[in-house]
Amino acid sequence: MPDKLGPVNPLKPGETPRAPWIVGVSGASGTPYAAAVLRGLLDAGESVDLVVSRASRLTLLDETGISFRDAHWQDDLREWLTRGADGKPGTFDVDLGGVRHWAAGDLAAGPSSGSYATKGMLIVPASTACVAGVALGLSKDLLQRAASVTLKERRTLVVAVRESPLNGQTLRHLVTLDDAGASVVPASPAFYAGATHIQDLVDFVAGRVLDAAGVPHGLYRRWEGELGGGASSRTSRPDNG
C-alpha cells in the first residue's frame, strides 16, 4: 500500500495535517493543461492527490506517447510533467514529494469520503462525459466520486471544461455545476498576456484554474489596465520558437 500511495510520513511536533488538492484528469484533449496545473500546485508548495481516469490515459498516450501505469505512476508522472507543451523533454524540473496517487477504480480511496481532509478539487481537463457524470451525481469511478464528495462538503471544485462546440445538454450540466457552487473555467486561452509560445497559452489556462482555486502563481502576465501591454511583452521577450 505505501508504494501505491507514495511517501507518507508521520506528523512531527508543530506540523499540520496534510490537506491536499485533488487533481482529476479526465479523457478530454488537453493533457498539457493538467501538467501545467500540477506543476503550479507543486511550485506553490501544495500537496496533491492525483486521479487519472482510464479514458485520460488513452488521451495522454495519444498526445504525448506516455503510458500512465498505476504500478509505475511516479516514473510516468515525472516524464509527463518535465515535458513542455511542445513535447520537448526535460523542459521543467519537478519534485513529486507532495504527490499521492490513487487508482481511478479505487472507490475505497481516501478522496471517496468526506471525512478525508482536502482543500478541494480541480478537474483539468474536464470532458463533457465527466461534466455530465458530476452534474448528475454519478460515481462511476473515483474521479466522479471525489467530485461529488467535494460538492457535498462545500469545498472548492474547479471544472476546466475542454470541448467545442458545446451542445445544450452540456451547457445545462455546466449550469447545474455552477448552481452547486463549482467554478466552471473553459479551457480557452487569451492573448492579452503576450503569448509567444504554446506553453504561454497553456499556462494562461492553468493560471486561471489556479486563480479560481485561490492558489498563488506566476504563470501569466495579468491585465493591468494598460493597452498594448501584450504587444510590448512579446517584443521584449526572446524568441521561444
Side-chain angles (χ1 to χ4, degrees):
M1 204 67 165
D3 288 339
K4 170 190 169 188
L5 300 181
V8 180
N9 299 316
L11 290 178
K12 297 177 182 178
E15 285 187 336
T16 57
R18 183 177 183 273
W21 285 98
I22 303 170
V23 176
V25 186
S26 80
S29 176
T31 55
Y33 294 132
V37 166
L38 286 165
R39 287 192 299 266
L41 288 170
L42 296 175
D43 287 346
E46 299 287 350
S47 297
V48 173
D49 275 20
L50 178 63
V51 181
V52 181
S53 76
R54 290 188 176 91
S56 70
R57 298 172 194 225
L58 298 177
T59 306
L60 182 65
L61 180 63
D62 183 58
E63 294 184 346
T64 69
I66 297 171
S67 296
F68 193 92
R69 303 158 295 175
D70 289 336
H72 304 280
W73 69 269
Q74 288 177 311
D75 292 337
D76 297 337
L77 181 61
R78 181 174 290 104
E79 183 181 0
W80 179 20
L81 297 191
T82 55
R83 291 192 184 190
D86 58 0
K88 183 179 178 181
T91 301
F92 298 99
D93 293 322
V94 295
D95 180 357
L96 302 182
V99 181
R100 180 181 293 182
H101 167 255
W102 301 94
D106 186 1
L107 292 178
S112 68
S113 172
S115 65
Y116 183 79
T118 73
K119 291 183 178 180
M121 182 173 184
L122 316 177
I123 305 177
V124 54
S127 66
T128 55
C130 174
V131 166
V134 177
L136 294 173
L138 304 181
S139 295
K140 78 179 185 75
D141 61 9
L142 180 59
L143 195 159
Q144 290 186 7
R145 172 58 185 169
S148 295
V149 168
T150 300
L151 286 176
K152 80 180 182 69
E153 297 295 327
R154 300 297 190 265
R155 297 169 183 160
T156 298
L157 176 64
V158 182
V159 179
V161 61
R162 214 306 306 164
E163 185 58 275
S164 182
L166 294 171
N167 63 27
Q169 189 174 42
T170 298
L171 291 169
R172 286 187 285 273
H173 288 150
L174 292 172
V175 170
T176 297
L177 291 178
D178 180 78
D179 288 343
S183 294
V184 176
V185 180
S188 55
F191 295 85
Y192 63 78
T196 61
H197 189 269
I198 185 175
Q199 189 67 56
D200 298 327
L201 299 175
V202 167
D203 285 348
F204 180 88
V205 172
R208 295 301 287 154
V209 171
L210 295 176
D211 286 345
V215 176
H217 65 86
L219 288 175
Y220 68 89
R221 187 188 71 87
R222 297 184 180 278
W223 175 252
E224 296 178 349
E226 297 181 6
L227 293 176
S232 63
S233 176
R234 282 192 293 271
T235 57
S236 64
R237 270 192 263 174
D239 183 11
N240 291 318

